[in-house]
Amino acid sequence: MSDKPNMKSKIQTLAILTILIGFPLLSWYYLTTGYNYQMDARSELKDYGKLPAFNFTNHTGEIYTSDSLENTMSVISFFGKSGKMNQEMFNVMRKLNTQFGDNPNLELLIVSIESEEDSPEVLARLFAVNQFDTRQHKFLTSSNYDIQKWIGEEIKVPTKWEKKEDAPTDITLEENKSGKIGDYPFFILVDKNQTIRNFYHVDKEDEIKRMVEHIAILLPREIKPDIEMKEKKEL
């Protein structure tokens, strides 16, 4: 009979130790792990130079320039010859809108490489068929010369591949320097200061997941003021 109170006391002591030591240690572990993970993700956000200025036309026929992105983040993708690649890119752009569509500080831009064939009217139909968001998504077009020059001479091959042999097989330094661009299979992440922070291949699922994490790190959170509520309370 005397063992029961002693056993109860041991259980209580163990419970107290778990609360005082175990839970804080567990919390510390998860906080440290999360912090290290975010620091690793931040270290992947490089400075690849400023986004080159552009002056394009959007799918509604309005002029859309690089000045439109002032203090706004953007993800830029490219609509080219490959139907499969285009559809994969469209799917990612829709998912980004689903996840970040409530934030007005992010623009999702789709630039037509086949710009002579993709008039604003054609792009407007594609926009409607693919059910893009009228606020966040933008289809952009211009002359073939302007588009090719913007990609081939100004943005260039993603500079994290400094050597030709390191670049993906579907785009090389030679193709880029000559201006012969059939498809540009990358998403480009641009921060609110118009600095290119990273490139992500359309076909690489792990890179797309990392892009989502990078967007979440860089994207300014929208602060909804409660001035109106405070004024009503004062009244």
Side-chain angles (χ1 to χ4, degrees), residues 41-201:
R42 284 185 177 276
S43 70
E44 297 165 359
L45 293 166
K46 310 297 184 181
D47 182 346
Y48 292 112
K50 293 293 183 181
L51 179 71
F54 63 84
N55 190 327
F56 297 156
T57 304
N58 68 16
H59 59 280
T60 65
E62 299 173 323
I63 299 299
Y64 190 97
T65 73
S66 46
D67 291 339
S68 305
L69 295 174
E70 185 178 3
N71 295 320
T72 303
M73 276 183 60
S74 60
V75 175
I76 304 174
S77 61
F78 299 87
F79 177 69
K81 295 179 179 179
S82 172
K84 179 177 180 293
M85 189 175 296
N86 291 338
Q87 199 53 57
E88 289 176 354
M89 179 266 292
F90 289 167
N91 288 339
V92 172
M93 283 301 214
R94 279 192 293 264
K95 289 176 181 177
L96 291 179
N97 173 249
T98 298
Q99 186 155 355
F100 300 107
D102 291 337
N103 197 312
N105 299 303
L106 178 67
E107 293 271 273
L108 303 174
L109 309 181
I110 304 170
V111 180
S112 170
I113 294 175
E114 296 294 312
S115 52
E116 290 183 352
E117 299 176 10
D118 293 333
S119 65
E121 292 77 16
V122 171
L123 295 180
R125 288 196 293 272
L126 276 172
F127 193 96
V129 167
N130 285 278
Q131 300 180 329
F132 286 123
D133 178 48
T134 55
R135 188 202 63 78
Q136 197 171 51
H137 290 116
K138 304 286 188 305
F139 260 121
L140 303 178
T141 187
S142 185
S143 70
N144 270 5
Y145 174 81
D146 287 343
I147 298 289
Q148 299 280 332
K149 184 174 184 295
W150 192 61
I151 300 173
E153 296 180 21
E154 298 178 17
I155 292 181
K156 302 180 180 179
V157 170
T159 52
K160 64 180 177 181
W161 295 291
E162 296 176 355
K163 300 178 182 178
K164 172 191 168 185
E165 55 266 27
D166 295 334
T169 56
D170 43 12
I171 187 166
T172 67
L173 290 172
E174 280 81 359
E175 288 176 337
N176 207 272
K177 286 179 179 176
S178 67
K180 295 178 181 177
I181 299 174
D183 289 294
Y184 191 89
F186 302 99
F187 293 97
I188 301 175
L189 178 61
V190 183
D191 68 19
K192 67 175 185 176
N193 298 314
Q194 304 316 300
T195 300
I196 297 174
R197 303 303 300 269
N198 216 327
F199 299 82
Y200 312 85
H201 198 285

Side-chain angles (χ1 to χ4, degrees), residues 19 30 193 202:
I19 293 171
Y30 280 114
N193 298 314
V202 173

